[in-house]
Amino acid sequence: MTKSCIHSVFAAILFVFCLSAEGLCSNPVEFRATELSRWTPQETTSVALVGGTIRLSGLNMARIISPAGLGIEPRGFISVRLLTRNDNYGFIILGLADGRRVSKRLRLRGSHDLSEGLREHSVYIGDIIGPSDRIEGVALSITGSREIEADVASIRLFDPTFLERAGIYWKGLWEPDFIDTWTISFVTTPTIANTPLPPIIVLASLLAAFIIILAVYIRQRTIKSGAAIRIVMGSLIAGWIALSVRMDYNWLVILGQEFTDLYGKEESERIKEVNNRDINEFVDFTAYMKSVVPADKKISAAFRKKGNPLETLVAYYALPIITSRDPDIVWVYGISGLEFDPSSGTLSMNGEQLPYRVRLYAQYGDAAALFEVITR
Amino acid sequence: MMDALYLILAIALPTMAGTLFVARVLDTGFGLAARLSLGFGTGMGAVTYLFLIFGFASVPFSLLPFIAALVIASGLLAYRLKLPSATCSSCGAVEENSGILWKIVSALLVVLIAFKLLFVFFEATHRPVYSWDTWTNWSAGAKLFFYQKGLLLDSADEHFFGKGYRPFMGHPLHATFMQVWSGLWLGRFDEALVKIYSFFYFLAMLALFYVAVKDEAGKKFALVGTYLLSSIPILTYHAQDGYADLPLAFYSLAAVVCFWKFLATERKGLLVVAGTMLGFGVLTKNEGLFYIVAVGLAFILARYGKAQSRGAFLRELASLALPVIILAGPWFVAKFAMGLGFGHGLGGSEFNWLSDPLYTEGAPKGIHWEVIGKSLKEWMLTANFGLMFPALAVSFILGLKQIYRSDLKYLYIVIFSVMAAFMFVYLTLEVTTVMDATGIHRNTLTYAPIILFTLTLLASRIFKRSR
């Protein structure tokens, strides 16, 4: 009910905006999963064709790149059907015949359940490629500070009909925000065809004010300056409220999601849930460390500099155990390249050796270990 | 259930002491809701001051000394206190006729504000600390001080004053102490509940704003303005995490509201409360200094030569300045004595004039004029503050005559002074935080409520609803 009311308020604005849009019609070019699975993966852990989709996995990024020389005529829009497990950002990168690379960012709201159904993300690209450009290559990049896992069904370049285009703008206008580590610095501004909503509303408000002033003048044959100013101010305030209602819609969606994700959960589960970094296993490791290291001992990260993200997180989450440059216990997370000589007590990683002798204190699965400092 | 009780006490006890202080200082000028809001800000600021006193006196952090101090202070403040009327006698209540349409609109706005409060409360109480700067700037130090039960002031200590857990030693500690305060009441450092203070600053700000506007411009402008304030998107996020920008926004708004009321009533008590708020602002963020300069400048321009005599002017100035000096002075003495520095940005704790090392490493020093265009773009084209900046520009042009002829010009002096101070910092020091937009909106958040307050008053004048 509330959502439909909010949608209705904006329908008129969008309708006016869409009237000015051009209608271009060319045949779409679509790359389906079978073809996408043959694209070149980059910084991607795995690409697997599963049914009608490819499943991309990566640590901080997953990217697939098309063969060069596609020679595609420009289209106005690009659409990707996919679903990510976490909230991520996507980039559609287009390589043009003149050597330029242009890109569009997608905000990908994730779902822990990848069987939920794919989402279609369509974006206007007419502002980054000209009518005479040719698209020679396409890449899809999914990034984020969390682990990447995504099902991708298709990438499509197309020129929508007038109504399709209006639908895409409408959907884009209501694309909800999500909370991530950047949210505290800035929020995502809704757009219509890549034009930010605030200036559109300001222009619409001023236009409405002008029409009202004109109507009053025609009817009364006069209008006082004070009345005109009040009409402009009233119109701007109405526009501001409209924008606020649109932004409030974000909280409605976020609250619905967050209530499911956070309510009634243990603190450790909530920490995993809200962190945009891929620290789920790391949170468990920190909890393990707190369970085996006495509170009066001091710890330090081996082979990680002060300020390294994981070092900072351990220093925080391990409290009351203090992180010190003069530690009793050192921890190693990610033991690839780790060399430990129990007889001499030397610990090294990729050629770097600790300046003190240690002995194994505890082992955390295959991923991490704690060492007790014997002598300095 | 017990957590809820403890957190209520954590908020109620300082609020009681703060409200009694406000009641003692202000004989008139505000209704009960505004007094409670100001009392909350005063009380929480006092808790920070107590943390500094106990910390430097090496009194281990535990509830007992804080409760004792607050109860004793409340007793002293309540002694022979004549309770002022809960209604605001000096406020020009505006008679309003309300049609059915307004009743529907106002009901809708109330629902939207209530929804926002519900959302923020849920997030503040369920979402653990999640943003990087909260961890590194405020929460890590809070957690360390909580478990160490003190400020670690042994200069030989590796973690002296939180070193190693606090990257910027010169940062004021209000947000950090607010988290320690919640932790002390809960008996543990709860990753979500330690930042509950943000929600209450949000609530107190909305209440203060509503009352301050309603007293002068009526319920309609107050309700619309309060809705717009509650809907500032970035403010909503800050109200649920453990940051310092929202508390500073509260203190600066409270100071400006008191200053504004003073211009109408000439009651010196309002200047004392304004000065108190400015002082607590400095204990919240270094940027609090900008507000002291801005409000001080506006005060001098408004009162110099207009007060009854030079002596009266000096007494008024003292009413404003003394609380600032008493509250902020010791902190600055400590900062200088301990060599904590003032820099708060990405470059470290020292100033790097004309060269932000993260923006142009190795480049020749110079003023980064590009931040002006970028700032305008961020203010005008993004939705972080709704239509606040387009509305500020348009209304300033349309309402110039109203502004010039009324005391509103002093509010604009505050706004433009603060904006100029921030712009000076952007041009000469903090380029990165504007160019990658990681800092500009947070800074703007601290004066956005003042802009909205001013805009609402201007709009009410344009619509002929206020004095």
Side-chain angles (χ1 to χ4, degrees):
Chain A
M1 176 66 182
T2 315
K3 283 187 191 176
S4 62
C5 284
I6 296 168
H7 281 71
S8 307
V9 172
F10 281 86
I13 297 169
L14 191 62
F15 181 71
V16 171
F17 188 80
C18 287
L19 283 178
S20 62
E22 296 174 39
L24 295 168
C25 285
S26 307
N27 290 331
V29 176
E30 186 166 16
F31 304 100
R32 291 177 183 273
T34 320
E35 193 170 354
L36 295 176
S37 68
R38 291 194 291 268
W39 285 16
T40 308
Q42 195 179 60
E43 298 187 55
T44 303
T45 317
S46 69
V47 181
L49 185 62
V50 184
T53 64
I54 54 165
R55 177 158 292 182
L56 295 176
S57 302
L59 288 176
N60 293 318
M61 175 179 280
R63 178 184 286 167
I64 48 172
I65 305 167
S66 76
L70 295 176
I72 302 169
E73 296 290 332
R75 302 290 199 281
F77 283 76
I78 195 160
S79 158
V80 187
R81 284 192 69 225
L82 55 64
L83 185 64
T84 54
R85 194 177 291 284
N86 295 312
D87 294 339
N88 291 121
Y89 294 98
F91 289 89
I92 295 285
I93 303 154
L94 304 171
L96 305 181
D98 60 8
R100 282 183 303 132
R101 278 184 196 173
V102 291
S103 66
K104 279 282 171 174
R105 193 178 83 150
L106 306 170
R107 202 167 163 81
L108 308 173
R109 221 157 46 86
S111 167
H112 295 328
D113 181 9
L114 281 180
S115 66
E116 190 182 82
L118 302 178
R119 294 176 186 157
E120 182 142 13
H121 300 266
S122 300
V123 60
Y124 177 63
I125 54 171
D127 56 337
I128 54 170
I129 52 172
S132 58
D133 286 326
R134 287 180 76 83
I135 300 167
E136 296 295 338
V138 179
L140 169 66
S141 191
I142 301 170
T143 66
S145 42
R146 298 198 73 160
E147 189 179 3
I148 310 298
E149 197 172 354
D151 284 352
V152 186
S154 64
I155 297 175
R156 189 163 62 107
L157 290 130
F158 65 113
D159 286 318
T161 62
F162 177 80
L163 282 178
E164 273 182 312
R165 182 185 290 240
I168 292 166
Y169 291 156
W170 181 249
K171 200 176 155 196
L173 177 63
W174 293 98
E175 183 63 39
D177 206 358
F178 54 74
I179 301 176
D180 67 15
T181 193
W182 297 109
T183 317
I184 210 79
S185 295
F186 49 80
V187 301
T188 302
T189 299
T191 59
I192 299 175
N194 299 333
T195 307
L197 190 55
I200 293 172
I201 292 184
V202 169
L203 286 177
S205 300
L206 294 178
L207 185 66
F210 177 74
I211 291 167
I212 295 167
I213 290 168
L214 199 64
V216 171
Y217 181 79
I218 289 168
R219 196 172 164 190
Q220 299 181 352
R221 292 287 159 199
T222 180
I223 185 165
K224 288 181 180 171
S225 63
I229 289 171
R230 281 193 288 277
I231 290 168
V232 173
M233 286 294 288
S235 191
L236 260 181
I237 292 168
W240 191 347
I241 291 174
L243 178 62
S244 295
V245 171
R246 160 61 189 91
M247 298 308 285
D248 280 355
Y249 172 77
N250 285 334
W251 322 137
L252 196 66
V253 176
I254 290 171
L255 182 61
Q257 182 68 44
E258 298 266 288
F259 193 80
T260 313
D261 291 344
L262 302 178
Y263 185 71
K265 299 260 180 80
E266 288 294 316
E267 184 178 271
S268 59
E269 292 305 307
R270 284 183 283 130
I271 289 170
K272 291 176 188 173
E273 193 62 56
V274 304
N275 272 295
N276 293 84
R277 293 165 189 81
D278 180 30
I279 61 166
N280 290 7
E281 289 175 18
F282 200 68
V283 170
D284 292 338
F285 166 64
T286 310
Y288 169 77
M289 185 155 51
K290 284 170 81 171
S291 71
V292 296
V293 177
D296 60 340
K297 298 282 185 191
K298 292 181 176 176
I299 58 168
S300 177
F303 315 112
R304 281 185 196 274
K305 286 184 179 161
K306 185 78 193 156
N308 168 286
L310 291 188
E311 192 275 341
T312 304
L313 289 172
V314 163
Y316 178 76
Y317 284 118
L319 280 167
I321 301 170
I322 298 274
T323 294
S324 169
R325 58 175 177 242
D326 189 16
D328 302 304
I329 307 279
V330 294
W331 57 269
V332 184
Y333 187 80
I335 55 177
S336 170
L338 188 72
E339 288 177 29
F340 175 52
D341 179 359
S343 58
S344 65
T346 55
L347 187 67
S348 59
M349 182 180 263
N350 302 323
E352 184 189 347
Q353 187 176 313
L354 285 190
Y356 28 72
R357 290 177 60 227
V358 296
R359 65 170 162 240
L360 185 64
Y361 183 78
Q363 177 98 27
Y364 181 73
D366 297 330
L370 303 173
F371 295 89
E372 185 175 16
V373 176
I374 308 168
T375 55
R376 293 187 171 85
Chain B
M1 193 62 194
M2 289 308 287
D3 283 353
L5 180 66
Y6 287 136
L7 289 176
I8 288 168
L9 285 170
I11 300 299
L13 199 62
T15 302
M16 179 181 71
T19 306
L20 286 166
F21 171 81
V22 172
R24 176 66 75 172
V25 173
L26 287 183
D27 52 352
T28 185
F30 282 117
L32 182 63
R35 285 167 195 268
L36 277 172
S37 300
L38 292 170
F40 162 77
T42 307
M44 299 314 267
V47 167
T48 282
Y49 206 64
L50 287 173
F51 267 111
L52 288 172
I53 291 170
F54 292 147
F56 280 95
S58 299
V59 176
F61 291 166
S62 67
L63 277 183
L64 194 62
F66 287 91
I67 292 173
L70 290 169
V71 168
I72 292 168
S74 298
L76 292 173
L77 289 166
Y79 182 67
R80 289 193 175 178
L81 174 69
K82 277 189 247 171
L83 281 175
S85 164
T87 54
C88 174
S89 58
S90 66
C91 305
V94 178
E95 292 293 324
E96 291 178 291
N97 297 318
S98 298
I100 185 74
L101 179 64
W102 169 248
K103 283 178 180 160
I104 293 168
V105 170
S106 63
L108 207 61
L109 292 178
V110 169
V111 167
L112 287 169
I113 293 169
F115 164 70
K116 190 68 52 66
L117 288 170
L118 174 77
F119 168 69
V120 168
F121 183 75
F122 177 81
E123 293 289 306
T125 51
H126 286 76
R127 186 169 247 273
V129 171
Y130 66 94
S131 56
W132 186 255
D133 281 8
T134 308
W135 268 318
T136 54
N137 291 353
W138 313 112
S139 298
K143 208 169 179 179
L144 179 74
F145 293 149
F146 172 77
Y147 283 114
Q148 294 298 305
K149 300 192 183 307
L151 296 178
L152 303 171
L153 291 173
D154 176 1
S155 58
D157 192 321
E158 174 187 2
H159 297 299
F160 168 71
F161 206 43
K163 197 172 181 181
Y165 285 81
R166 296 178 58 231
F168 306 113
M169 301 289 283
H171 270 169
L173 287 156
H174 180 67
T176 295
F177 289 151
M178 288 296 94
Q179 297 181 29
V180 183
W181 179 240
S182 300
L184 286 178
W185 278 93
L186 292 167
R188 67 183 195 282
F189 198 87
D190 186 290
E191 297 289 340
L193 296 177
V194 290
K195 54 185 174 54
I196 190 76
Y197 69 92
S198 291
F199 167 76
F200 284 99
Y201 272 104
F202 184 59
L203 182 63
M205 179 190 283
L206 295 185
L208 178 66
F209 184 95
Y210 177 81
V211 174
V213 176
K214 186 193 71 138
D215 285 348
E216 181 159 335
K219 284 182 184 171
K220 289 177 184 170
F221 282 94
L223 192 55
V224 172
T226 307
Y227 168 65
L228 292 176
L229 180 63
S230 77
S231 282
I232 291 175
I234 197 163
L235 185 69
T236 311
Y237 285 121
H238 277 252
Q240 51 183 273
D241 208 3
Y243 261 61
D245 302 279
L246 173 58
L248 178 58
F250 171 85
Y251 285 124
S252 52
L253 174 70
V256 166
V257 166
C258 290
F259 167 65
W260 175 251
K261 287 267 183 188
F262 165 78
L263 292 179
T265 63
E266 299 193 5
R267 301 271 185 176
K268 283 203 288 293
L270 286 158
L271 288 178
V272 174
V273 179
T276 305
M277 296 298 153
L278 291 172
F280 286 140
V282 178
L283 295 182
T284 304
K285 288 203 87 174
N286 286 328
E287 291 90 324
L289 286 168
F290 298 164
Y291 293 91
I292 293 176
V293 173
V295 175
L297 177 66
F299 168 79
I300 290 168
L301 290 173
R303 298 301 294 167
Y304 186 73
K306 291 175 196 159
Q308 286 174 335
S309 64
R310 179 171 287 187
F313 170 75
L314 289 175
R315 280 193 293 278
E316 288 175 359
L317 184 60
S319 300
L320 182 67
L322 276 178
V324 177
I325 294 166
I326 291 167
L327 293 173
W331 166 240
F332 281 102
V333 170
K335 273 175 84 145
F336 281 117
M338 294 160 73
L340 299 179
F342 273 85
H344 63 281
L346 297 161
S349 269
E350 299 307 322
F351 290 140
N352 295 288
W353 291 108
L354 303 178
S355 76
D356 182 339
L358 287 186
Y359 185 61
T360 50
E361 192 172 7
K365 290 187 172 191
I367 294 172
H368 292 274
W369 296 108
E370 65 269 31
V371 299
I372 295 175
K374 176 68 175 172
S375 301
L376 287 172
K377 191 179 164 194
E378 290 295 325
W379 286 328
M380 293 292 184
L381 301 184
T382 73
N384 287 282
F385 296 94
L387 293 190
M388 180 177 288
F389 284 92
L392 177 69
V394 172
S395 65
F396 185 75
I397 295 164
L398 296 180
L400 199 56
K401 205 193 298 180
Q402 295 266 15
I403 294 165
Y404 184 72
R405 286 179 180 172
S406 69
D407 284 346
L408 278 176
K409 58 180 168 288
Y410 300 115
L411 296 186
Y412 280 91
I413 286 169
V414 173
I415 292 168
F416 293 141
S417 301
V418 171
M419 289 179 81
F422 274 114
M423 192 53 72
F424 174 76
V425 171
Y426 300 153
L427 288 167
T428 57
L429 271 172
E430 296 280 340
V431 187
T432 308
T433 57
V434 177
M435 299 311 287
D436 68 5
T438 53
I440 182 171
H441 297 301
R442 290 192 225 172
N443 297 153
T444 306
L445 168 69
T446 63
Y447 55 87
I450 301 174
I451 295 180
L452 190 53
F453 179 65
T454 309
L455 285 181
T456 311
L457 294 182
L458 175 63
S460 74
R461 282 156 191 257
I462 287 173
F463 285 89
K464 300 187 192 307
R465 301 296 295 180
S466 62
R467 63 183 160 82

